[in-house]
Amino acid sequence: MCSYLRFKVDIQTHACALPSHYVYLHLFSTVLMAQWQPNPEVVQGLVSLFADVYHGTPDRQAFIYSELERLQTMPDFSLYLAYIVSSCPGMGADIPTHIRAVACFRLRKYILNNYKQLTSDMIDFIRSRCFEFVNYDDNLLRNSVHDVLAVLGPLQKLNGWGPLLQQLYEMLGAEGQPRISAMSCLHKLCDELTNDDTNALLLSSPQ
């Protein structure tokens, strides 16, 4: 039986597409993680907020800030961000790249502030969704994804990164954009690693 948290979504009618009724959100276990599905109304509400995050009146900006602060208390907020970054397959239309890049920025910030609250399954979901776009053709989104991976790697001490590092290594042997993407991602990752992280990596094989 799934466990749920009940959140009252109190939204101004002119603001965004988030539902004005109660939204039920999953609390995650290893089993539930595989069954997670985003609420389309929450996705569209976040997209609406991200679309105006750098625009609008001061009142609108204040509302966006307060809404994002409130929404990030959802236990699956990070998964919604990763879902938006990966363009929400199956939602019927791609989300504009600049909005996905905003989601990347929020995801990076969320990871830095709430890493200990993320389960291993949630981290795997975020990492796999982001890595799909490590060689994306749009420069803004590609670099934003690299920023997310660069903070996630050191926090995980690169545990479980063996296959991903292997893919980056293989990309270094390719020509053109794959090599550039791999170098960019690895450069940002190395910048975030501490000396202790680097020594641990050199002394052990990636898992």
Side-chain angles (χ1 to χ4, degrees):
M1 191 72 177
C2 295
S3 298
Y4 296 89
L5 282 181
R6 193 177 189 182
F7 287 87
K8 176 68 174 178
V9 181
D10 185 17
I11 302 297
Q12 299 176 22
T13 56
H14 66 279
C16 65
L18 289 177
S20 59
H21 54 279
Y22 283 101
V23 177
Y24 292 88
L25 299 167
H26 290 287
L27 282 176
F28 299 103
S29 66
T30 301
V31 175
L32 290 178
M33 188 63 241
Q35 302 174 348
W36 182 80
Q37 292 294 327
N39 182 323
E41 291 181 312
V42 176
V43 172
Q44 292 305 317
L46 284 168
V47 168
S48 176
L49 293 173
F50 291 156
D52 291 341
V53 74
Y54 298 123
H55 308 285
T57 64
D59 286 345
R60 175 63 174 166
Q61 290 295 305
F63 175 76
I64 291 172
Y65 176 82
S66 66
E67 276 304 289
L68 290 176
E69 288 296 305
R70 184 185 63 79
L71 290 170
Q72 74 177 13
T73 64
M74 299 189 306
D76 52 356
F77 183 68
S78 62
L79 303 186
Y80 276 101
L81 295 179
Y83 188 77
I84 291 172
V85 168
S86 57
S87 197
C88 301
M91 292 296 291
D94 288 341
I95 292 176
T97 301
H98 70 280
I99 293 179
R100 294 162 66 192
V102 172
C104 266
F105 173 80
R106 297 295 306 191
L107 181 57
R108 181 183 184 275
K109 181 179 178 181
Y110 185 87
I111 290 170
L112 286 171
N113 293 333
N114 302 277
Y115 178 75
K116 292 183 178 180
Q117 299 175 24
L118 301 176
T119 68
S120 59
D121 298 292
M122 297 170 82
I123 293 170
D124 287 345
F125 180 89
I126 294 168
R127 189 178 61 190
S128 64
R129 283 297 179 109
C130 287
F131 201 81
E132 291 176 13
F133 298 91
V134 74
N135 190 37
Y136 196 59
D137 56 4
D138 182 88
N139 184 63
L140 175 62
L141 184 62
R142 183 176 64 249
N143 285 323
S144 298
V145 165
H146 294 175
D147 290 338
V148 173
L149 293 172
V151 299
L152 191 57
L155 287 170
Q156 287 191 281
K157 305 294 185 183
L158 296 179
N159 290 325
W161 277 65
L164 303 184
L165 294 174
Q166 179 63 34
Q167 290 183 51
L168 291 174
Y169 175 76
E170 292 173 358
M171 289 168 61
L172 288 174
E175 296 294 333
Q177 188 58 54
R179 176 183 293 176
I180 295 172
S181 296
M183 291 177 65
S184 169
C185 189
L186 289 169
H187 176 74
K188 291 184 176 184
L189 185 61
C190 290
D191 278 350
E192 295 292 339
L193 290 170
T194 65
N195 289 334
D196 289 342
D197 293 329
T198 304
N199 291 337
L201 179 62
L202 292 173
L203 292 172
S204 62
S205 299
Q207 298 178 4

